[in-house]
Each structure stands twice: as structure tokens, then as C-alpha cells.
Amino acid sequence: MTIKNATVLVVDDDTDVLTAVRLLLKTEVMEVVTEKNPQHLPSLLAGKRFDVIMLDMNFTSSINTGNEGLFWLRRIKELKSDAGVIMITAYGDVDLAVQSLKDGAADFVVKPWHNDRLISTIKDVLRKRAGIREESSAATQSIIGSELLGESEQMQAIFYKIEKIAPTDANILVLGENGTGKDLIAKAIHQHSLRSAKPFVKVDVGALTDSLFESELFGHVKGAFTDAREERIGRFEAASGGTIFLDEIGNISLQQQAKLLSVLQNRQVTRLGSNTPIPVDVRLICATNLPIAELANENRFRKDLIYRINTVEIIVPPLRKRGRDILLLADHFNKMYSGKYLKPLLSFDKSAKDKLLSYSFPGNVRELQYTIERAVIMAEEEELTAEDLLFSPIESAMDEREEPADFKLSAVEKNTILKVIEKHNGNITRAAKELGLTRTALYRRLSKYDI
């Protein structure tokens, strides 16, 4: 949260102090509420939510021990207010300052203060409070693994499935578009499995040529081919006892599929150039961006291999279908890159949030991550606006090329008209009535689409 959006309550029995603070903050924050009597705090907090409370330490001039301030600080905490409390005193007592911080105060200022220092203190309290809220919110989110998070119904279903299948040794097939986090799903399954203390080995099998496929996955002996100067174990052996994750499984050839199937059936590998089989004990997780219908095409993928790798399938939704998870992930990446690049924690204004929620994200979570990283690096203010969020022109161009919106709309309208006219055997009057158009409007569309 920025100071411009903050609501501040000032509690002090000195009218001059209340006036001075109100005049100072009225152009800096969204709203300033002042109160002379701390006895009114419970009713104030019951009727309104405050981001910052400035609380005087002394309300009885003859006492000046600070005990009243500490009493009302504790009372604020008892009333479950999450406002950041800044204690005010005319006495610069370090012990008193330490005590107020121990009792839950966010900061401590001494009267008379410098205006710039007071505004800076409020900003710091708001920033710390935003960080605490993020951590508190994260604790209630379903987080599986170290990076996979989401609150949407689709992701909750995935988290539930992970918790159910992770302790088993079932082979898993993860389906989803590029950039949706299929590798994080695989890692989360491993982390929650009985094999979590053993290796997790990832292989992008779609990038392996025929000549490298066997050597990388199953290993080779010295002299097996020209550059085999020493013996080397393959990825299956390296993952033995743990989990092997084969990414982009849908891109391997039928010949490679046959070799992989043999290993999965026999639970053993034979290094290239050797005749000695080596037993392996692995949990298999595979992933592909191909739809399951394409994997069912026997000209592209062996049916017996599909059965072998697909004991349970997990379908990861594209980011555009995950609703407000977009903002949750944006906050996560904002915090990550603010720390990495030593920047203050930024916030998103309404225009930025609206832009994130309305964008289709053809590159999914990966594109969102790069977008936020770029925004954090280039940010000059403490708040990100829509103008700060620059989406990848490459992804956007690909998205437009693959699914031009105007073409899709025209095609749907044309096909609908054709089907309705066919349904009514060419009777334009009945077709127009069902389409909710006048005859003239329907004739215009027939001319438009050259029907």
C-alpha cells in the first residue's frame, strides 16, 4: 500500500498536535481522523478500518509515565486491529520506546518531529505492514512446494490431487500449455512423496536427438561411440530411488518411445555399448503441452506407452483461466524481484491490476514472471501503474496470429447463420426469427459473408 491510499487515525489530547498532523497529512494520505480521547478508540475501530494509528504515550499531564499509551496500545491489539501503531511522546526515553515495540508498536517518534521524518516513518510502517500481510496471506494459501501457489478452484483441485497421489508410486502425466508450471507440479509431487530425500532428476526429452536419447537417459560405456572417452551413468540411474521427470514427452519419436517403454516395463536400463542390464527404481512423472487427444493418435504416440505413463493425469489450467491467481502470482514475483534487485517493495494500482486481469497471457505464468521482473527493474515510483506493465510483443503477436479475435467472431457468426438457415430449410423468415434479427438485417449478413 502507498501512503496516498492510507487512512490514518491520530489520538492525542493536544489540540495543536492534532491540527498540525491533520494539516501535514491531508495532502499526503487519503484520510486523516483525529481524536482527543483514547476512550473512544474501541468505537472508532469498530466503525472504521485504519492503516496507521498515531498514538500519544501520555494523556494525563500530571503522570507522564507513558503507561497510558502502553495500555491503549495493548487495547488496540486486543481489538484485533491490524493497523500499524506509531507511538508519540515528548520524552525520548529509550526504555519506553523498546517497551512499546515489544508490545506491538510498529515505530516510535519523539515530539517535536521533523515533518519529512514523520512522513518517512508512516511510509516505512505501511511497507512493513504490507509485507506482514503478504506473509500472513501466504500462510493461508494452499502452497504446495516452494513456488507453486494459487487460490483458484482449479488450483485447489490440483493441490488436493497432489496430496493424494504424492505418497504413492503412481506414474503421473502432467498436461498443460507452455509456461503453466508443469515442472513445479512435478517437483511438488516429489517433495510430498516418500522419495523426497532422494534425487529429483529433470530431463527435457523433447530436446534430445536420436543419437543423444539413449546416452542421456540410459548412460554409456567408454568407447560406445566416437566421443565416449569415459563411462557415464544415465539419468535413470542418477534418479534411482527418487523421481525422474521427463518433460515434453509428447515430442519424442516412435523409436524413442519404444526404447523408453522397454525400460519402464523391465525396470532396468542397459548402457549404450553394454549388454549388462542395470536395475533402476524410479518414480516416473511426465509432462507435455500436447492435448490428450493428440497423444491418443497412434500415428504419433504409442498407446501402450500412454497407459504406462498415465496412471494419473493432472491438467494444469492456463493462467487466463485462474482468475485472481494472476494478482497473487504478481505479488509473489514483485516480492521476489524487489529483493533480488534491492528495490523497495512496490504496489500495484487499480489500473495495473485491471490490466493484469484483462490480459490473456499466451505465455502463461512464465510471461507474467518476466513482465513483473521487467516492471520492478524499470520502476521509478513506489506504485506500479498499467503503463509500467509491458507484455511480450512476441507472445502477443503469436497469440494474435493463432487466434485473431475478429476472425473468430466472424467465423462463429457465419457458421451460426448457416446452421440456422439449414435447420429451417432455407426459410429466411423463420431463420431471422430464431436468430433474433429482422429479415433485412439477416439479408445484410448474408451479403457480408457471401452466403
Side-chain angles (χ1 to χ4, degrees):
M1 166 176 282
T2 62
I3 192 171
K4 289 289 186 185
N5 297 324
T7 300
V8 178
L9 170 63
V10 188
V11 186
D12 197 304
D13 60 353
D14 188 333
T15 305
D16 291 339
V17 169
L18 296 179
T19 302
V21 175
R22 185 170 60 247
L23 290 174
L24 172 64
L25 295 183
K26 72 176 184 178
T27 58
E28 298 290 336
V29 303
M30 186 170 67
E31 184 179 5
V32 183
V33 177
T34 58
E35 176 57 54
K36 287 185 66 175
N37 188 351
Q39 298 286 345
H40 294 158
L41 266 170
S43 59
L44 282 169
L45 295 180
K48 193 175 187 64
R49 178 179 164 277
F50 297 96
D51 301 300
V52 174
I53 298 174
M54 296 181 61
L55 178 64
D56 193 15
M57 297 291 290
N58 300 293
F59 292 92
T60 306
S61 58
S62 62
I63 299 178
N64 292 337
T65 64
N67 287 336
E68 287 173 295
L70 294 177
F71 169 81
W72 286 110
L73 170 62
R74 293 169 190 143
R75 189 79 179 95
I76 289 169
K77 297 304 176 182
E78 288 170 6
L79 293 169
K80 307 297 184 185
S81 171
D82 65 347
V85 181
I86 300 173
M87 306 303 293
I88 309 170
T89 183
Y91 304 90
D93 191 321
V94 175
D95 292 336
L96 194 59
V98 171
Q99 184 60 51
S100 70
L101 295 175
K102 284 182 178 178
D103 285 358
D107 212 331
F108 183 90
V109 293
V110 178
K111 292 186 287 188
W113 54 73
H114 293 290
N115 288 344
D116 290 344
R117 171 60 186 155
L118 180 58
I119 291 172
S120 176
T121 299
I122 293 173
K123 285 182 178 180
D124 287 343
V125 168
L126 288 169
R127 192 174 295 121
K128 290 174 187 174
R129 181 169 164 271
I132 290 170
R133 278 187 159 185
E134 272 194 15
E135 291 171 10
S136 174
S137 173
T140 62
Q141 295 156 9
S142 292
I143 301 181
I144 303 288
S146 57
E147 301 170 87
L148 186 66
L149 56 99
E151 293 178 334
S152 63
E153 187 177 337
Q154 300 98 317
M155 293 306 293
Q156 293 296 317
I158 288 177
F159 296 153
Y160 176 78
K161 188 174 279 190
I162 289 174
E163 288 173 355
K164 286 289 185 182
I165 63 179
T168 74
D169 262 352
N171 293 335
I172 312 298
L173 177 61
V174 186
L175 302 168
E177 295 178 7
N178 285 333
T180 51
K182 298 186 292 294
D183 57 333
L184 296 180
I185 297 280
K187 192 182 297 182
I189 293 171
H190 173 71
Q191 289 171 344
H192 285 71
S193 74
L194 302 178
R195 298 170 175 264
S196 58
K198 299 294 183 179
F200 174 80
V201 177
K202 176 183 175 180
V203 190
D204 184 356
V205 289
L208 297 178
T209 62
D210 282 336
S211 58
L212 286 176
F213 185 83
E214 282 189 79
S215 173
E216 279 294 316
L217 291 184
F218 315 137
H220 61 254
V221 298
K222 184 177 179 179
F225 48 88
T226 304
D227 291 326
R229 297 184 176 87
E230 58 185 7
E231 189 171 290
R232 181 183 175 188
I233 68 169
R235 304 296 184 89
F236 270 86
E237 281 186 76
S240 195
T243 303
I244 188 165
F245 172 46
L246 304 182
D247 199 8
E248 299 305 339
I249 191 75
N251 294 336
I252 66 175
S253 67
L254 290 170
Q255 182 183 5
Q256 292 170 337
Q257 291 171 34
K259 293 172 181 175
L260 178 59
L261 180 61
S262 175
V263 169
L264 298 179
Q265 286 175 334
N266 300 320
R267 313 296 292 181
Q268 57 187 23
V269 297
T270 302
R271 294 180 185 173
L272 197 61
S274 170
N275 293 318
T276 306
I278 302 169
V280 288
D281 170 28
V282 296
R283 201 268 182 83
L284 177 69
I285 303 175
C286 298
T288 180
N289 61 356
L290 294 179
I292 195 71
E294 287 195 42
L295 292 177
N297 181 351
E298 290 193 67
N299 292 323
R300 179 159 191 173
F301 213 87
R302 295 178 62 113
K303 187 175 289 186
D304 46 2
L305 182 56
I306 280 288
Y307 292 145
R308 179 68 62 174
I309 68 176
N310 188 25
T311 306
V312 180
E313 68 185 39
I314 294 177
I315 301 175
V316 189
L319 183 57
R320 59 185 171 275
K321 293 185 178 180
R322 290 177 55 182
R324 297 188 72 82
D325 278 359
I326 293 170
L327 301 183
L328 182 67
L329 289 162
D331 284 337
H332 169 72
F333 293 132
N334 175 29
K335 188 174 182 181
M336 176 194 303
Y337 290 115
S338 293
K340 178 178 179 180
Y341 297 116
L342 303 178
K343 294 276 192 105
L345 186 62
L346 305 172
S347 62
F348 297 89
D349 76 355
K350 186 177 184 301
S351 70
K353 292 178 180 179
D354 289 345
K355 186 172 184 179
L356 288 170
L357 290 172
S358 63
Y359 183 59
S360 63
F361 285 102
N364 290 295
V365 179
R366 189 178 297 127
E367 183 182 4
L368 172 63
Q369 180 177 350
Y370 295 151
T371 298
I372 301 302
E373 181 179 14
R374 181 166 51 236
V376 169
I377 291 172
M378 301 300 294
E380 295 183 354
E381 304 293 334
E382 293 182 359
E383 190 173 56
L384 293 174
T385 67
E387 288 72 26
D388 295 315
L389 301 174
L390 304 176
F391 299 123
S392 167
I394 298 174
E395 293 286 4
S396 300
M398 289 177 66
D399 196 32
E400 290 172 8
R401 185 187 66 204
E402 292 170 3
E403 297 184 290
D406 290 340
F407 174 78
K408 285 171 60 183
L409 181 60
S410 302
V412 168
E413 187 175 49
K414 180 179 179 180
N415 290 335
T416 301
I417 291 171
L418 285 169
K419 287 177 181 177
V420 174
I421 290 176
E422 184 180 353
K423 173 182 175 182
H424 293 288
N425 299 314
N427 188 313
I428 298 298
T429 301
R430 291 179 181 173
K433 185 176 180 180
E434 180 168 333
L435 289 165
L437 301 171
T438 63
R439 283 170 55 89
T440 304
L442 179 53
Y443 276 123
R444 279 200 299 268
R445 282 166 173 76
L446 294 177
S447 175
K448 175 183 176 182
Y449 297 124
D450 196 23
I451 298 175

